[in-house]
Amino acid sequence: MLFRQLEYFVALAREKHFARAAAACYVSQPALSEAIRKLENELKVPLVRRGKSFDGLTPEGERLVLWARRILADHDALIHEVTALQTGLTGELRLGVIPAASSTVALLTNPFCLEHPLVRVQLESSLRSAGVVERIRRFELDAGIIYPDGQNTTELLVTPLYQERQVLIASGDLLTSQPDPTTWADVSELPLCLLNTGMRGRQLLDSALAAHGLTLTPRLEADSVVSLLAHVSTGQWASIVPQTWLRTLRPPAGVRVVELDDPSVTATVALVTNAAEPGSVLARALVEIAQNARITVEPG
């Protein structure tokens, strides 16, 4: 059994298409197909359902792909570990990030890159927490930044980074008659634009308010905090966003930021990595940075 055969097989399981898998591995389709057939012959079981095209993996193939991902991950970890002893850390760190943390991830990746200048970082910032967890388990990501609450983090190392707090942003004109801090009853009377109900930030908000018998009915919903800030900048809208976003994207002129209590809406944001030992030396280095860094997320 060759590592190359396992790489081709994992690529086919991921791409679900022979030609795309071959392109991802920089080989011809016949070469990829022949390598997988040799792997099947060696193991004496069929791994791939073949029709006119790729029809999925057999039950044996589904089991093998789990082992193949682990073997390849351990092989890469070994190479990185040995290389690190000679020249320092090298290779590529694959980091998955939920959208809510895309404005703060630099507080972690910047010191990591300064500490390990030979490491490349591949960042994906449009993932959901569950997707990040699943891809870490499949060894497709080395680490992730997620909302850990409500996620199955068994066999993962969870390193808390900071507490995210939701705040009200609106033009001073909209809030001229409102006290500071504004109550949730006052907020419900404002022309609101919020994240849509499919996004975790909105779900956290709705759940916290529902526990107090409160609901908000926005006039506009979006899937981007940037879109919400753009609407607020017109002076005609109010929104509720993570305070962390205001550290990078400054509130427009004339916009006030108001903290909300009773209830306050907060959530833990954490770094997660595979807890298996010895594991990825790159992931361990990122955890060390996270444990030593003082991540300050307040605006200013």
Side-chain angles (χ1 to χ4, degrees):
M1 184 184 301
L2 303 175
F3 284 115
R4 182 179 65 254
Q5 293 171 315
L6 297 180
E7 289 171 354
Y8 294 173
F9 180 58
V10 168
L12 180 60
R14 181 183 66 248
E15 299 295 338
K16 298 179 173 57
H17 190 276
F18 280 98
R20 289 198 300 268
C25 296
Y26 302 101
V27 297
S28 67
Q29 183 173 331
L32 180 134
S33 298
E34 180 60 22
I36 293 176
R37 286 190 186 278
K38 288 182 178 179
L39 182 60
E40 291 176 315
N41 291 337
E42 182 176 346
L43 295 174
K44 297 181 174 57
V45 292
L47 301 175
V48 179
R49 293 192 178 98
R50 295 175 175 84
K52 293 183 178 179
S53 59
F54 176 78
D55 287 337
L57 301 181
T58 64
E60 295 87 350
E62 294 287 357
R63 291 296 299 170
L64 178 65
V65 76
L66 300 176
W67 282 102
R69 289 181 181 128
R70 180 180 293 274
I71 291 168
L72 292 174
D74 286 344
H75 174 259
D76 289 344
L78 172 62
I79 298 299
H80 291 151
E81 191 94 37
V82 172
T83 303
L85 294 174
Q86 299 172 326
T87 62
L89 290 186
T90 61
E92 181 176 271
L93 175 75
R94 301 162 300 174
L95 180 61
V97 182
I98 56 175
S102 60
S103 65
T104 55
V105 64
L107 300 176
L108 187 59
T109 52
N110 187 58
F112 177 85
C113 290
L114 290 174
E115 183 75 17
H116 307 290
L118 299 181
V119 177
R120 303 181 309 276
V121 177
Q122 183 68 38
L123 186 67
E124 293 186 52
S125 58
S126 60
L127 305 175
R128 297 193 177 189
S129 295
V132 171
V133 167
E134 179 61 25
R135 289 184 63 184
I136 290 174
R137 287 204 170 97
R138 295 202 306 259
F139 301 97
E140 294 176 357
L141 292 173
D142 300 299
I145 299 178
I146 68 167
Y147 293 121
D149 294 343
Q151 300 300 320
N152 178 6
T153 55
T154 304
E155 299 180 348
L156 297 181
L157 175 65
V158 179
T159 305
L161 296 176
Y162 58 85
Q163 282 291 115
E164 176 188 272
R165 181 184 178 91
Q166 301 284 331
V167 295
L168 172 71
I169 56 172
S171 71
D173 292 340
L174 282 179
L175 299 177
T176 51
S177 61
Q178 304 286 2
D180 191 356
T182 300
T183 69
W184 285 104
D186 296 329
V187 172
S188 66
E189 299 298 321
L190 295 170
L192 289 173
C193 55
L194 300 177
L195 293 174
N196 64 46
T197 55
M199 302 191 73
R200 181 60 175 163
R202 174 65 181 281
Q203 293 168 356
L204 291 169
L205 175 63
D206 288 347
S207 295
L209 295 183
H212 289 72
L214 301 170
T215 59
L216 294 177
T217 305
R219 290 176 54 193
L220 183 147
E221 294 183 327
D223 63 356
S224 163
V225 173
V226 173
S227 295
L228 300 182
L229 293 174
H231 280 80
V232 171
S233 69
T234 68
Q236 305 301 312
W237 298 86
S239 188
I240 298 166
V241 300
Q243 188 180 30
T244 51
W245 276 85
L246 304 181
R247 186 184 187 280
T248 303
L249 301 176
R250 303 291 182 180
V255 169
R256 287 175 54 193
V257 179
V258 180
E259 293 191 358
L260 298 165
D261 295 301
D262 196 26
S264 60
V265 182
T266 62
T268 298
V269 175
L271 174 70
V272 291
T273 57
N274 201 308
E277 294 291 346
S280 165
V281 65
L282 300 181
R284 294 204 309 271
L286 185 65
V287 170
E288 184 177 348
I289 293 290
Q291 291 172 338
N292 294 332
R294 295 182 178 179
I295 297 183
T296 303
V297 297
E298 291 79 7

